[in-house]
Amino acid sequence: MSNEFRRSGDLKSIGSYPVWLQRVVHETTVHKRRVVEHELFSLMRDAKLPTAAMKRFMIGVWPTIEQFPRFMAMNLKKMGYGDSVGEDMARRYLIQNIRVEQKHAEHWAAWAGSVGLGLADLRAGGDTEELQALAHWCWYVCDAESLAVAMAATNYAVEGATGEWSCVVCSRDTYARSLPDEIRAPAMRWLKVHAEYDDTHPWEALDIVATLLGHAPHPAEIASVRRAIRASYRYMEMSLDSAMMAAAHGSFDETASNASTLGFDDLDAA
């Protein structure tokens, strides 16, 4: 069998990809589930996440959101037009989506406003080193590793898990309805976009990884892809655990959608 891979099956069917990549996805699924099924997102979905935890989450994840176009640009520098089929796929993908990621940063800033956080608060960071470790990892892997490994870690793993946890939060309208009417639409835009848009995005990244490495890459390359995907999930889980530590400072009755936090104390009386 030629090492060259060209997908012929459905984009979103794992059976369309090389056996080695199917195994990697299967072996890292348990780590992804720890992210997607994290308590923070179920509490957010049910509008029961304490304000302190929500703020810590919004501030801590901001560096990854804000810098994601830079991570993609770092990968874009690794190739030139016509280098290979896989690199041309990656080049088109990255060029098309860097601008999209910029809009995502704007949406995140609007969402942060729903808990009273401004851009200065997001930039200040605060005591959120554990959460910011994800951004440091993404920077490292895009700077030091191959195009296939870096895209597996970021565009497949980080974006894929993000799309899935966004679907969890949006699976009920409880959180959306907990937000005041005046801010609901802009506050929900980041979640809504990711719950829909990222459905195919990580699969496209997986297709690129498969095309770059082919049917039978060197075992060391496979190990690097596996390690990078697993590390991304672990750093994401670390971030969520760190955000939940803030729950100890507030009651679970003090939710991220508490109207008093936003200055809407009189809404219930209206």
Coordinates of all heavy atoms in Angstrom, one line a residue, residues 31 49 72 139 171 181 188:
H31 N -9.3 11.2 27.5 CA -8.8 12.5 28.0 C -9.8 13.6 27.5 O -10.0 14.6 28.2 CB -7.4 12.7 27.5 CG -6.5 11.6 27.9 ND1 -6.0 11.5 29.2 CD2 -5.9 10.6 27.2 CE1 -5.2 10.4 29.3 NE2 -5.2 9.9 28.1
L49 N -23.2 27.9 37.8 CA -21.8 28.1 38.0 C -21.6 29.4 38.8 O -22.1 30.5 38.4 CB -21.1 28.2 36.7 CG -19.5 28.4 36.7 CD1 -18.9 27.1 37.3 CD2 -19.0 28.6 35.3
M72 N -2.0 29.9 14.7 CA -2.3 29.4 13.4 C -1.3 30.1 12.4 O -0.8 29.5 11.4 CB -3.7 29.8 13.0 CG -4.7 29.0 13.8 SD -6.4 29.5 13.5 CE -6.8 28.7 12.0
W139 N 1.5 27.7 22.3 CA 2.6 28.5 21.7 C 3.8 27.6 21.4 O 4.4 27.6 20.4 CB 3.0 29.6 22.6 CG 4.0 30.5 22.0 CD1 5.3 30.3 21.9 CD2 3.7 31.8 21.3 NE1 5.9 31.4 21.2 CE2 5.0 32.3 20.9 CE3 2.6 32.5 21.1 CZ2 5.1 33.5 20.2 CZ3 2.7 33.7 20.4 CH2 3.9 34.2 19.9
S171 N -27.0 22.8 25.0 CA -27.9 21.7 24.9 C -29.3 22.0 25.6 O -30.3 21.4 25.3 CB -27.3 20.4 25.4 OG -27.1 20.5 26.8
D181 N -32.3 40.1 29.0 CA -32.6 40.2 27.6 C -31.6 41.2 26.9 O -31.3 40.9 25.7 CB -34.0 40.7 27.4 CG -35.1 39.7 27.9 OD1 -34.7 38.5 28.0 OD2 -36.2 40.0 28.1
M188 N -24.2 35.3 24.2 CA -24.3 33.9 23.7 C -23.6 33.7 22.4 O -23.5 32.5 22.0 CB -25.7 33.5 23.6 CG -26.4 33.3 25.0 SD -25.8 32.0 26.0 CE -26.1 30.6 24.9

